[in-house]
Amino acid sequence: MTEPDSFDQRLRQRVNRGHPLDTVPVDLEPHGNIPNTPLAASTISFVLGAVFSLGTVLFLSGGLVYPWWATYQLGFFLAAWSAFHWGEFAVTAGWNRDKCSVDSFLLDNGVTYHIANGSALVEYLITLYLKPSSKTFPYVSQIGIILALSGQILRTAAMIHASTNFSHSVAFRKRESHKLVTNGVYSWSRHPSYAGFFYWALGTQLALQNTICFVGFAVTLWRFFSRRIRAEERALVQFFGEDYHTYRRRVGTRIPFIP
């Protein structure tokens, strides 16, 4: 390769090479509701980091006497929520760069998702204000914290292990590099990222001791993943044929009542 002999040639070569902070996915256009720029990504990371810091301080301090809503339970929820969204982007950027965009934060994840999290906060604050005794079962929150952390670890491990074979969207077209991953955490669950999110979400509601949202999350997520897994596995059977049939017979999903 010859060295560029002018400033203009060097500049064009640099532009064509692309900026290392660019996040332009190879085969999926971002939704466009959030600008897909390094500025947007850094701003979102800053905000999520601030929320995580606030939540962690509340959680580790055991909550504050004043204001009344500054509890360790709310602190854990805020920390878990912000860590989840930052982690989705960070893991995609680190192990699946070709699919990375600002949408990898999963903040543009549909209205229903935000309504669900908003409802969880509303239920918690209303019940805490009207009947604070309903939030005084520490063992329930402890189980929820363990479940949420376990779910987060499972999902993150699945995304890292699958690497470029992982996608936030169901793939209906097989890429040449797409391989069937059946080892590691995928030898325990066919869909460990789904199982991880399922238990993470239910864990956050146990941590908040939200009875209504716990039931609502369980039913809604079970229906969502049941349908998504059926659709995704039809595509995987087309991609991998008998290999996937064998894998499906051998390994379950680890989500209750979804074989």
Side-chain angles (χ1 to χ4, degrees), residues 188-192 194-196 198-199 202 217-233 244 248-259:
W188 181 78
S189 168
R190 288 202 314 277
H191 298 279
Y194 296 164
F198 182 82
Y199 294 117
L202 295 187
F217 274 42
V219 172
T220 302
L221 286 173
W222 187 91
R223 291 180 63 187
F224 173 79
F225 285 128
S226 178
R227 294 170 180 171
R228 185 176 176 114
I229 286 172
R230 284 200 301 270
E232 183 171 342
E233 292 196 336
Y244 194 80
R248 184 165 58 182
R249 286 192 294 267
R250 188 177 76 250
V251 180
T253 66
R254 303 297 178 175
I255 298 175
F257 308 111
I258 302 179

Side-chain angles (χ1 to χ4, degrees), residues 76 143-145 147-148 198-208 214:
F76 177 79
I143 292 172
I145 290 167
L147 189 62
F198 182 82
Y199 294 117
W200 172 85
L202 295 187
T204 62
Q205 298 314 295
L206 283 178
L208 293 174
F214 177 82

Side-chain angles (χ1 to χ4, degrees), residues 57-176:
V57 168
L58 278 178
F59 174 65
L60 294 179
S61 66
L64 305 176
V65 176
Y66 180 84
W68 59 270
W69 47 263
T71 65
Y72 79 94
Q73 297 158 329
L74 181 62
F76 177 79
F77 176 79
L78 294 176
W81 179 86
S82 54
F84 168 79
H85 287 287
W86 179 84
E88 292 293 298
F89 181 87
V91 172
T92 305
W95 284 269
N96 200 1
R97 175 69 182 276
D98 283 350
K99 297 189 180 104
C100 184
S101 75
V102 72
D103 287 349
S104 301
F105 283 107
L106 295 189
L107 289 169
D108 189 12
N109 206 22
V111 175
T112 303
Y113 175 77
H114 295 295
I115 290 175
N117 283 293
S119 298
L121 288 173
V122 169
E123 180 186 350
Y124 179 75
L125 294 174
I126 288 177
T127 53
L128 179 66
Y129 183 77
L130 296 178
K131 193 178 180 181
S133 61
S134 66
K135 305 296 184 184
T136 56
F137 303 94
Y139 63 90
V140 176
S141 290
Q142 290 164 7
I143 292 172
I145 290 167
I146 293 171
L147 189 62
L149 292 176
S150 300
Q152 180 67 73
I153 292 170
L154 177 60
R155 181 172 174 88
T156 300
M159 292 175 64
I160 291 174
H161 188 71
S163 186
T164 57
N165 298 292
F166 181 86
S167 176
H168 280 125
S169 302
V170 176
F172 294 104
R173 178 173 57 86
K174 186 177 183 295
R175 300 175 64 186
E176 290 185 8

Side-chain angles (χ1 to χ4, degrees), residues 6-25:
S6 73
F7 174 77
D8 287 340
Q9 285 180 319
R10 290 196 299 271
L11 182 61
R12 282 194 297 270
Q13 201 173 75
R14 188 177 301 170
V15 169
N16 292 335
R17 193 180 298 134
H19 195 282
L21 290 180
D22 284 343
T23 52
V24 182

